[in-house]
Amino acid sequence: MKIEVWQGDITTLAVDAIVNAANESLLGGGGVDGAIHRAAGPQLLAECRALAEIRPGIRCTTGEVRATAAYQLPARYVFHTVGPVWQDGQRDEPALLANCYWKSLQLAEKLDVQSIAFPAISCGVFGYPLHQAAQIAATEILTWQRSHQQPRRIILVAYNAATFKAYQSALAAQGQPI
Ligand code: AR6
């Protein structure tokens, strides 16, 4: 198994699951979250709103993941995960970001998802340094693949060239050139 890296808009991918970089409310926002909600249509927001609140206004805490249907998207599921807001790197940000990848892969296995695409979680509004985030994504996925057969396809989606390059170097550094 290899990690695939692809540059483009995650909402166009016909995979079993696309991952959304959401916030703890799961009620939408900007960036990839906004793009996913626009493309999926209003039923996505309705399903998110109906998810149980852990605390008032909070449906998913940082590092966790929730699945919904994907409605008008070509995917089957949207996995909503919440990446950490980058502060100074000393607030557990790496472990929380690693959880986003690992727990999404665990959920994929549970739901029999064969193909999954991740955006660069936390690398936009949440300000995570791109190269550090790319290394965490590569490490978590490669570690997962060493002991799991599923999902068969794991795609890292780069929305721009800088992100594509960051994935390229993170994978090369781990002996997995693309
Ligand atoms: N396809 C793939 N990647 C995309 C797309 C797209 N259509 N659009 C943006 N990206 P961000 P975060 C990339 O800010 O940092 C929202 O308001 C983008 O270039 O979407 O986790 C949420 O509601 C970047 O590399 O997510 C939260 O409040 C990456 O996706 C907050 O932003 C993530 O950028 C989450 O911030």
Side-chain angles (χ1 to χ4, degrees):
M1 276 194 295
K2 275 187 78 172
I3 302 182
E4 296 173 44
V5 181
W6 179 79
Q7 191 175 335
D9 178 356
I10 201 168
T11 65
T12 65
L13 290 180
V15 289
D16 287 344
I18 62 168
V19 178
N20 181 18
N23 60 64
E24 291 186 326
S25 76
L26 298 190
L27 296 184
V32 71
D33 196 6
I36 287 173
H37 276 274
R38 274 194 301 280
Q43 287 167 295
L44 179 61
L45 183 59
E47 185 175 350
C48 286
R49 203 183 289 282
L51 292 172
E53 288 181 325
I54 299 156
R55 296 195 294 278
I58 296 189
R59 293 175 183 77
C60 183
T61 51
T62 303
E64 297 293 325
V65 58
R66 296 285 182 274
T68 65
Y71 301 99
Q72 290 167 50
L73 289 164
R76 264 171 61 207
Y77 295 107
V78 179
F79 286 3
H80 306 263
T81 191
V82 183
V85 177
W86 177 264
Q87 294 177 73
D88 54 6
Q90 306 297 313
R91 317 286 168 108
D92 226 18
E93 293 95 330
L96 290 166
L97 185 60
N99 277 349
C100 292
Y101 288 93
W102 194 262
K103 293 191 174 190
S104 294
L105 292 167
Q106 285 179 322
L107 186 58
E109 189 176 46
K110 188 172 149 200
L111 295 177
D112 201 26
V113 158
Q114 298 294 341
S115 51
I116 185 169
F118 288 92
I121 301 161
S122 286
C123 293
V125 175
F126 282 179
Y128 210 106
L130 184 55
H131 285 270
Q132 292 178 47
Q135 276 177 8
I136 290 170
T139 302
E140 293 309 302
I141 294 170
L142 291 170
T143 305
W144 175 270
Q145 287 180 329
R146 269 183 228 123
S147 54
H148 300 81
Q149 299 301 314
Q150 210 181 324
R152 282 183 293 106
R153 292 185 67 200
I154 303 178
I155 305 162
L156 288 171
V157 178
Y159 199 49
N160 51 45
T163 308
F164 190 92
K165 279 192 184 154
Y167 285 142
Q168 248 180 342
S169 30
L171 289 166
Q174 307 217 20
Q176 302 275 329
I178 51 168

